Amino acid sequence: MQALAVIPSQKRLDLLDIPEPKLQGATDVLLKVHEVGLCGTDREIASFEYGDPPTGADHLILGHESLGEVVEVGQEVHSLRPGDLVVAMVRRPCPHAECRPCRAGRPDFCLTGDYTERGIKGADGFLTDYVVEDEEYLVKVPRALVDVAVLVEPLTVVAKAADQTHAIFNRLPYELGPQRGLVLGAGPIGLLGAMALVADGFETLVYSRDSEESKQAELVRSLGADYESSTSNPIESLADEWGEFDVVLEAVGFAPLMMAATQMLKPNAVVALTGVPPEAGTTELNAGRILRNLVLRNEVVFGTVNAGRRDHLSAIRHLEQFMILFPESVRQLITHRAPLDEVPQMLTKKRGIKEVVQVSHAA
Ligand code: BGC
Ligand code: ZN
């Protein structure tokens, strides 16, 4: 069968011929891969800036936003059977006995950094015809979601950010009133985040570099949210026009914008950072003002990466809700579907919102 892999030592991105995997352990599940979403992480790996092959291997099979169908299960698999649709979790725990989060099944909070991530770090991904995965890392998805379920993995990032935000709000000793949310960025995470905020009853504004006439802006308005382009309003004057926010969800990964996010807050408000900025690059800022505001206004800024099983279940529930509230907007997030052999072009030239690789067709 074929697999799309990077060979970092040769700076090569290519389709390889590899043997079909077989069930080994009793809790193994054989999956036929249907779809794989591509994101900025894949583009970084494809340009050899990020990502590591499995130990001892020279190549890394790409793809972490998966949707597959169960073909065969080991003797001890009880929660899944052939024909089930599943999304695979991305991160696998580190091996260290003292890492409490990994031992508790939450490698997304790993303390050692020795976790692996399928398609990203030390473990092969899903851009191939068949994969074997342990039952423990598979999450069943209702058939009714088949045409949008490839969005579950990016939505888990939003679901975890929402869960953490709720936990932070729980510290407040009074009943919260109506809330206002700001989303920075109109890529898949930002747009899914806007959907989650709208669905949760937030008055929502999305701010991004896409123009007011863009597909992204149109999609935001179709949710009943507001859209503002950075081309017409710099971030520094955003709060003057729109007021301050209870929650800011950042999904850009641009350091100056991430810093500016801390200046958009109401007292007691929260910023969730999900974009991964490049390490290089400094930015001039008024640290005194930023830190003074954080203290005098009880604000919280936190980062969040990856997601646990509970966030996957929450993402699926969110997606079901979105498909009731704004099904067309959800479908419009997926702007391209193309076969496996087109991945190299898809990864070098970004178009649209979410590009999806159609590895095989769902039954
Ligand atoms: C993936 C996460 C992963 C992160 C860091 C993201 O693109 O969606 O699952 O943890 O990259 O590697
Ligand atoms: Zn991703």
Side-chain angles (χ1 to χ4, degrees):
M1 64 175 189
Q2 291 195 304
L4 194 281
V6 282
I7 309 166
S9 58
Q10 303 173 23
K11 298 231 183 273
R12 221 173 97 208
L13 175 67
D14 223 341
L15 276 178
L16 306 181
D17 253 315
I18 60 164
E20 281 186 23
K22 290 195 170 53
L23 294 188
Q24 287 175 334
T27 54
D28 275 354
V29 176
L30 177 67
L31 302 179
K32 186 174 169 63
V33 179
H34 284 326
E35 292 186 333
V36 176
L38 300 180
C39 75
T41 301
D42 300 303
R43 289 192 181 85
E44 275 183 37
I45 299 171
S47 51
F48 317 105
E49 288 163 30
Y50 192 59
D52 298 305
T55 311
D58 69 341
H59 67 270
L60 169 73
I61 300 175
L62 273 172
H64 59 274
E65 301 183 2
S66 67
L67 174 66
E69 182 173 324
V70 176
V71 176
E72 197 189 338
V73 299
Q75 294 138 11
E76 296 290 314
V77 172
H78 301 300
S79 65
L80 296 170
R81 51 171 125 168
D84 284 346
L85 271 188
V86 290
V87 168
M89 296 166 69
V90 174
R91 198 175 275 198
R92 301 292 169 271
C94 79
H96 308 291
E98 73 277 11
C99 184
R100 287 170 185 260
C102 280
R103 303 291 69 78
R106 288 302 299 263
D108 55 316
F109 285 105
C110 177
L111 295 171
T112 69
D114 290 337
Y115 58 83
T116 58
E117 288 183 331
R118 288 201 74 160
I120 302 175
K121 179 181 180 283
D124 281 325
F126 303 95
L127 274 171
T128 183
D129 298 298
Y130 293 93
V131 290
V132 167
E133 183 53 274
D134 195 287
E135 175 186 26
E136 191 182 344
Y137 304 118
L138 296 172
V139 187
K140 190 173 163 174
V141 185
R143 268 277 155 192
L145 292 178
V146 65
D147 55 341
V148 292
V150 71
L151 297 171
V152 167
E153 198 282 337
L155 188 49
T156 63
V157 172
V158 170
K160 179 176 168 184
D163 184 54
Q164 299 288 303
T165 301
H166 285 304
I168 294 165
F169 277 133
N170 265 334
R171 74 193 172 131
L172 297 178
Y174 60 92
E175 195 75 36
L176 300 180
Q179 290 187 293
R180 307 185 68 226
L182 169 65
V183 176
L184 301 176
I189 302 281
L191 293 171
L192 288 165
M195 289 178 181
L197 286 169
V198 170
D200 279 349
F202 280 73
E203 185 190 320
T204 304
L205 172 68
V206 177
Y207 179 77
S208 174
R209 65 180 173 192
D210 304 289
S211 79
E212 306 279 350
E213 292 77 40
S214 62
K215 203 176 172 124
Q216 286 83 348
E218 207 177 292
L219 203 148
V220 167
R221 290 190 206 102
S222 75
L223 308 174
D226 290 307
Y227 184 85
E228 178 92 342
S229 172
S230 58
T231 58
S232 47
N233 200 345
I235 187 81
E236 294 74 26
S237 54
L238 196 66
D240 296 337
E241 188 180 343
W242 292 90
E244 295 173 332
F245 298 87
D246 301 275
V247 173
V248 179
L249 175 68
E250 179 279 333
V252 180
F254 179 56
L257 192 75
M258 295 169 89
M259 289 309 312
T262 64
Q263 305 303 293
M264 310 275 121
L265 301 178
K266 282 191 194 170
N268 311 336
V270 177
V271 183
L273 304 173
T274 74
V276 185
E279 255 183 60
T282 51
T283 170
E284 214 171 283
L285 47 87
N286 187 332
R289 172 152 168 245
I290 291 173
L291 296 171
R292 187 182 159 91
N293 272 347
L294 278 178
V295 173
L296 293 180
R297 298 157 66 102
N298 302 292
E299 292 160 353
V300 175
V301 180
F302 75 98
T304 176
V305 67
N306 197 256
R309 175 172 284 273
R310 96 185 222 133
D311 305 310
H312 284 69
L313 299 175
S314 157
I316 292 165
R317 281 194 304 272
H318 273 96
L319 198 53
E320 289 169 339
Q321 190 188 17
F322 298 172
M323 290 303 279
I324 291 170
L325 296 174
F326 20 71
E328 273 323 300
S329 314
V330 179
R331 290 199 185 91
Q332 279 167 18
L333 287 172
I334 300 173
T335 41
H336 298 89
R337 279 188 163 90
L340 195 56
D341 54 10
E342 281 182 34
V343 176
Q345 296 95 287
M346 293 163 92
L347 285 177
T348 44
K349 210 171 80 207
K350 187 190 178 334
R351 8 160 238 193
I353 303 172
K354 176 58 77 185
E355 293 187 78
V356 169
V357 187
Q358 186 120 43
V359 182
S360 66
H361 289 268

